[in-house]
Amino acid sequence: MHPDRIRLPRLRDKVMSAEEAATLIHDGMTVGMSGFTRAGDCKAVPFALAERAKTHPLQITLMTGASLGHDADKVLSDAGVTARRMPFQVDASLRKRINAGEVMFMDQHLSETVEMLRNRQLKPVDMAVIEATCITADGGIVPTTSVGNSASFAILAQKVIVEINLSMPLELEGLHDIYIPTYRPTRQPIPLVSVDQRIGTPAIPIDPEKIAAIVFTNRPDSPSTVLPPDLETAAIADHLNDFLMREVKANRLSAALQPLQAGIGTIANAVLHGLLDSPFQDLRMYSEVLQDSSIDLLDSGRMTFASASSMTLSAGCYERVMANLARYKSRLVLRPQEISNHPEVVRRLGLITINTALECDLYGNVNSTHVNGTHMMNGIGGSGDFARNAHMSIFVTKSLAKGGDISSIVPMVTHVDHTEHDVDVLVTEHGLADLRGLAPRERARVVIDQCVSPLYRDALKDYFKEACRRGGHTPHVLEEAFAWHTRFRETGSMLSRDMMLAD
């Protein structure tokens, strides 16, 4: 019965199979599941629910922290279980159903979901399904490798199913800092003033009578699919390091910089990895996700502390951390995502934020979510939480995609997630555009000169020249603003015949 995992004796009779627990979820329910970028997601009940739907069809609104591992989103959507989904996903099968209009997807800033639940702007959570390391003697739930929205889901839900994952070492207890903001209109300031501060509790405090089922699992998280740095991402990292060194020399930053945030993905991971060979010391991280590069920076001694909402690691790095938790616990903390991403805290701590753009335009507007303005990729995630409130907001992207058929820098983005007002720096493998203090026409010249691929640079210069001839504070040629996107849709490439001849 694993008494060390269920320390409140009266809860031990709640243990049941995943199949039995899945019967507690009914058609039309809103279900909040743990999981944030493949970390700390439930490993059994979602799959039992999908299997049950084959004979007892049902649909739910599914809320999580962010994306799920082990293809859970695919399995649930393919089974027809997911009718509505929020606030983030990365699964190709679910994405296809979202773009076909079969699943209603609410793309949200990651700090906002539980805030809206708490204030009854969304339907309440009927059932929370939370992965845990253990249940404490007073019924508190100790999370695993992520906190995400799990704490608020468990607190706000009518009932809770707990999946205790035996593959997660008990040494995870003490890694988490669960702090839940108080209700408006009498809410107090969040008392977090340094990255390494702990302001909450090590477990999720709930009434143990809400626990309706306990399921045992024994399966690790899905490993990260982030690729190692390549020549282009290494060049992006070099440009950013050079820029930050100039900021230090100008006395705008110290050698410890400001606390760092980096989004999930290969490019952001590579940029952080580049800090291993930089002169910066005593770095701190205040982010939503810790990737391999964060652990490498801790191991090197270059980073002293890291705060996040989840750990999403490669198989090798995951094993290294889990086997040496005692060594890492004094330098790591996992928080609820509404705290890791909270605008108040982000502004107070003065973060340098590094996020990835799907495309950006010559004035610095960034599209993080929609391909050709219509088809959802993954979601905005936490990038908006950080960009609007950062000490310095940096967006990175390779200048080309699809072998050069797509330019990531375009005349006008087809969907705006981050306006030019929230973007301070753009970086591609070709260079870095420091947009601070520049008017739109000045921003455009720097972006074109520093960031655009040579394949598209002359064409974008011609577009901007004609736009300026027509006038305006933010000049555009409206009938040509999306011509590159239209050409790609019709021919499979943004390159025109003239561009190819010029190259």
Side-chain angles (χ1 to χ4, degrees):
M1 188 57 70
H2 302 286
D4 56 340
R5 300 283 184 160
I6 306 176
R7 298 176 198 155
L8 183 59
R10 72 174 186 268
L11 289 179
R12 292 170 190 162
D13 62 2
K14 298 289 187 180
V15 175
M16 63 183 71
S17 69
E19 290 72 23
E20 291 172 312
T23 65
L24 302 175
I25 299 174
H26 305 141
D27 184 51
M29 276 188 169
T30 296
V31 179
M33 288 188 182
S34 65
F36 193 108
T37 56
R38 294 173 168 259
D41 54 304
C42 292
K43 314 296 195 293
V45 172
F47 303 93
L49 185 64
E51 190 64 27
R52 176 169 165 250
K54 293 178 181 178
T55 54
H56 296 81
L58 77 160
Q59 291 193 313
I60 64 171
T61 294
L62 177 59
M63 298 180 177
T64 60
S67 55
L68 300 177
H70 298 289
D71 292 327
D73 264 326
K74 171 180 170 57
V75 171
L76 288 169
S77 64
D78 286 352
V81 173
T82 308
R84 304 177 72 82
R85 182 74 170 88
M86 64 176 70
F88 188 81
Q89 56 76 44
V90 299
D91 182 76
S93 181
L94 174 59
R95 183 185 305 131
K96 183 177 180 181
R97 295 177 188 278
I98 289 169
N99 287 318
E102 297 168 7
V103 174
M104 297 295 104
F105 178 59
M106 283 66 71
D107 183 24
Q108 289 183 305
H109 298 299
L110 294 189
S111 67
E112 288 189 343
T113 305
V114 296
E115 190 77 272
M116 295 181 74
L117 281 171
R118 187 179 296 116
N119 293 287
R120 301 187 302 280
Q121 297 178 74
L122 295 172
K123 288 183 178 180
V125 176
D126 298 295
M127 184 69 73
V129 189
I130 308 298
E131 182 177 80
T133 302
C134 62
I135 297 174
T136 66
D138 59 0
I141 300 170
V142 177
T144 59
T145 50
S146 73
V147 180
N149 283 329
S150 298
S152 289
F153 287 161
I155 290 167
L156 296 171
Q158 297 296 312
K159 294 290 183 180
V160 182
I161 298 170
V162 180
E163 284 196 8
I164 296 179
N165 190 338
L166 299 176
S167 79
M168 298 291 177
L170 282 168
E171 288 78 11
L172 282 169
E173 188 172 2
L175 181 66
H176 313 90
D177 185 51
I178 310 300
Y179 177 88
I180 305 298
T182 52
Y183 282 80
R184 300 185 182 110
T186 57
R187 174 176 294 181
Q188 298 298 304
I190 296 170
L192 186 67
V193 296
S194 66
V195 170
D196 58 354
Q197 187 181 359
R198 292 175 181 269
I199 59 174
T201 60
I204 301 168
I206 67 166
D207 179 355
E209 299 306 314
K210 288 174 48 171
I211 296 178
I214 299 172
V215 175
F216 281 104
T217 66
N218 196 343
R219 192 179 186 187
D221 288 338
S222 296
S224 167
T225 57
V226 169
L227 299 173
D230 58 25
L231 291 175
E232 292 167 322
T233 56
I236 291 171
D238 287 344
H239 292 313
L240 188 51
N241 277 341
D242 289 344
F243 167 73
L244 293 173
M245 284 188 280
R246 292 195 297 272
E247 291 293 292
V248 172
K249 290 178 181 178
N251 293 318
R252 286 190 287 267
L253 290 173
S254 73
L257 305 180
Q258 290 288 112
L260 302 171
Q261 176 269 332
I264 190 74
T266 295
I267 298 179
N269 188 64
V271 168
L272 283 184
H273 192 272
L275 292 172
L276 286 166
D277 298 320
S278 75
F280 308 118
Q281 297 287 344
D282 298 322
L283 299 173
R284 296 151 294 151
M285 174 164 278
Y286 191 86
S287 193
E288 56 191 354
V289 183
L290 301 181
Q291 300 187 90
D292 285 19
S293 54
S294 306
I295 302 301
D296 292 340
L297 284 165
L298 286 169
D299 287 344
S300 72
R302 201 167 291 279
M303 182 177 286
T304 59
F305 198 91
S307 167
S309 192
S310 79
M311 296 188 294
T312 303
L313 308 173
S314 67
C317 190
Y318 180 92
E319 291 174 6
R320 185 167 90 239
V321 170
M322 291 298 176
N324 296 279
L325 275 170
R327 183 161 63 88
Y328 288 106
K329 274 171 66 173
S330 64
R331 297 180 294 156
L332 289 177
V333 64
L334 296 182
R335 311 181 191 276
Q337 69 195 65
E338 66 172 324
I339 303 301
S340 68
N341 293 40
H342 201 288
E344 173 191 342
V345 178
V346 172
R347 181 65 63 92
R348 179 185 299 136
L349 295 179
L351 304 189
I352 295 174
T353 67
I354 305 165
N355 290 286
T356 304
L358 189 65
E359 66 175 4
C360 50
D361 65 27
L362 74 171
Y363 297 114
N365 299 290
V366 169
N367 172 13
S368 297
T369 57
H370 284 71
V371 177
N372 263 9
T374 57
H375 281 57
M376 173 59 64
M377 179 58 73
N378 298 325
I380 194 170
S383 55
D385 296 322
F386 293 107
R388 174 62 59 91
N389 301 285
H391 169 82
M392 186 187 300
S393 173
I394 299 166
F395 279 88
V396 295
T397 182
K398 293 185 179 183
S399 67
L400 298 173
K402 300 290 184 183
D405 286 326
I406 292 177
S407 172
S408 300
I409 316 294
V410 294
M412 182 185 285
V413 290
T414 52
H415 178 91
V416 181
D417 291 295
H418 313 283
T419 72
E420 61 185 280
H421 312 292
D422 301 332
V423 180
D424 296 318
V425 176
L426 287 177
V427 195
T428 71
E429 72 274 21
H430 296 291
L432 181 146
D434 182 358
L435 306 179
R436 296 172 298 175
L438 300 184
R441 292 182 186 226
E442 296 170 315
R443 294 165 73 95
R445 294 185 181 97
V446 174
V447 169
I448 293 170
D449 290 343
Q450 299 298 323
C451 297
V452 180
S453 165
L455 276 174
Y456 291 90
R457 190 174 294 146
D458 288 343
L460 199 52
K461 284 182 178 179
D462 290 344
Y463 174 89
F464 180 59
K465 182 178 179 180
E466 174 59 20
C468 289
R469 188 187 68 80
R470 299 189 182 195
H473 175 64
T474 306
H476 270 298
V477 184
L478 291 182
E479 66 272 23
E480 296 291 332
F482 298 131
W484 294 12
H485 298 89
T486 302
R487 188 180 302 122
F488 176 77
R489 184 188 63 195
E490 294 174 351
T491 70
S493 177
M494 287 184 175
L495 287 167
S496 68
R497 181 176 175 82
D498 290 342
M499 291 184 206
M500 289 185 280
L501 289 174
D503 182 60

